[in-house]
Amino acid sequence: MSDLTAPVSALKGVGPALAEKLKRLDVERVEDLLFQLPLRYEDRTRVTPLVATRHGQRCLIRGEVLLSEVVFRGRRSLLVRIGDNSGQITLRFFYFTNAQRDALAKGAFVSCYGEVRHGPAGKEMVHPEYTIQRADETPETAPSLTPVYPSTDGLHQGRMRQLVKQALAIMRRSPPDELLPQIVRDDSALPTLVEAIEYLHAPPPGIDMDSMASGMHPCQRRLAIEELLAQHLSLRQLRMQLQQEGAVPIAIGSALRQQFIDRLPFEMTGAQQRVLEDIGHDMALTKPMLRLVQGDVGSGKTVVAAGAAVAAIEAGLQCALMAPTELLAEQHYRNFCAWLEPLDISVTWLTGSLKSAARRESLAALSNGEAQMVVGTHALFQAGVSFANLGLVIIDEQHRFGVHQRLALRDKGEDGQRLPHQLVMTATPIPRTLAMTAYADLDTSIIDELPPGRTPVNTVVVPDARRDEVVDRVRDACRQGRQAYWVCPLVETSDVLDFQAAEETAQILREQLPDVSVGLIHGRLHARDKEAIMSAFSAGELQLLVATTVIEVGVDVPNASLMIIENAERMGLSQLHQLRGRVGRGSAASSCVLLYKPPLSRTAKARLAVLRDSNDGFVIAQRDLDLRGPGEVLGTRQTGAMNLRIADLTRDADLLSGVQTAANQLLQDQTAAGELRICRIIARWIGSASRYGNV
Ligand code: ADP
Ligand code: MG
């Protein structure tokens, strides 16, 4: 006898081909069918009198054919007028056989299911499902609403319904355990798991369809909360597993680190010192650090990372820093060379574009331990890269990477029982509730202070018809010895088009600004050329840098005080905030011009206003979350990796704090039964590791 955890092939009628199709829907076990919720429902529980049918409604109707004709207006079609004692409606068919036409002749009784629309001659149904009936026969009504499931090629609704029915029958025979802590259920008066599942697959007639469609029905919330709990627990468990393995403790207050701090051309802010202390404290332990540093653009995360790197290196360990783009990796490389080489630390670098000889050299230096510090892109963590004694891994702009990449790199440092310490940095300030869910495996420090002497960036929103005035501003800024960025519109998702648009813009600006030296940078340039252009801009040889959004993250040129962003209405708020963060890094008053193409939608207007009115990344992120949803705030990869079936981080945001309470309660119970319960919640929702965490 099969149970809920059996593979779907245990069900009647499921062979290898069907199992394969179900797998595409992430349905592998019988239980998965229960969590495969309907997208919507059809109401076949009652016959709707024709007079009561409304536009847009899908319903079951019945009537007698009053008139049947084939017409040729525009397109050959069969029109069948039916009536009951309350009203009339027309059935319209574009495709029909002669047999169908004959069966739908005057005097026949027919029952139909379909969507009611306004047609040229009143209400109609286009291509309804129908059955011809005897005069005394009543249509067969369903006892409950009919579910419509997410589908895939060659897997029909009828088949899905029949499979779910089998799964429900198994569930009734051997009900799944209620795993949600009592406290959560008491608090929110939620139905039990079994009640929720029964209800959602076969809701009774006459329910509130709106609350179902919005996902706010208590039964839906019941499942969402358990799913979020499972996600949260799996991250927490991952963290505990990592921390059970040892790490090499790194002494705090080391001499070299002090030397590094003393040599800096500025004093670290209080926030930077505090975060560096948090890190020092973590690294001094014999379990691996797992810390996220959040800090708004320009808050000075890099130097904090370098401080941590120096401490690790002084302890005789290697440190690796991973950045999301080559451009940013190059910039970090330059900074780390400038900061660390005077301390006799050897810094190397590794990215995908490195020529094979240079790559071999870097790889050798990493594996024999000659290189103490390496800066690079995700190329750092691919096969073939090995470290002599990796002790600290730093990931910059974490939101650009998925959870998997974060996990993949811990393996690089695995040496017997020891894992490297992990430091993760992000400039995307994440609202607290989201952070608790997406980064439940990390401790968090926040750099909540900007270096002194910064003046907030003044932001204006300008239609592109006033482009000439903007060009004048660029000219003025350059005359005053300052520098500017001009960010070109994103063209679709194509690299090539992005690059062409940027090239054209650069050409036009060169003509309009003959006295200004204009550079162009985009993702298709070779690393070497990008670096040359960036250093020319840093050195002030280039005054205006035309760029695609490749400069979005991290680029740092304090003398630049003007940022122009074209087609700002197409970009996300966090992305715009990051771009804007390229200016306002020196002491000169800086501005940011957001150019847009009218007309602006209401939301677009609201979004640009948020940016104009706030310089605070947290405020902006919260608004971005409200306006666009968590996928955009966290980065699609991040939420994609969470792979939620039922819950929705925006809609269900209010459930998150309850989820955390429940998780804490479950984790406190360290008996075997308590641990088993956690494993079962995770297994129920996340299943085997193939779904999560080890891609
Ligand atoms: P982000 O947090 O956006 O990564 P960076 O690390 O790139 O910021 O730092 C931005 C700029 O501020 C850099 O030029 C850096 O040298 C400078 N900086 C960092 N900390 C301080 C400080 N305490 N005082 C003055 N300037 C600082
Ligand atoms: Mg940075």
Side-chain angles (χ1 to χ4, degrees), residues 151-199:
S151 192
T152 177
D153 279 351
L155 180 60
H156 299 297
Q157 287 301 327
R159 175 54 71 82
M160 257 321 261
R161 283 175 198 145
Q162 184 258 329
L163 292 175
V164 172
K165 225 173 239 160
Q166 289 188 55
L168 286 169
I170 293 173
M171 175 180 85
R172 282 173 211 130
R173 266 204 323 264
S174 51
D177 288 332
E178 185 59 60
L179 298 173
L180 205 57
Q182 190 67 38
I183 171 177
V184 184
R185 277 179 291 143
D186 287 351
D187 251 25
S188 24
L190 292 170
T192 66
L193 179 69
V194 170
E195 282 164 359
I197 289 173
E198 291 272 10
Y199 190 97

Side-chain angles (χ1 to χ4, degrees), residues 301-302 328 331-332 396-397 425 427 553-554 585:
K301 293 181 290 295
T302 318
L328 193 52
Q331 180 183 289
H332 284 327
D396 194 18
E397 307 295 350
M425 306 195 290
V553 281
R585 296 186 158 233

Side-chain angles (χ1 to χ4, degrees), residues 658-672:
V659 163
Q660 207 186 19
T661 315
N664 289 342
Q665 199 196 33
L666 287 171
L667 289 165
Q668 253 164 31
D669 179 0
Q670 286 176 353
T671 62

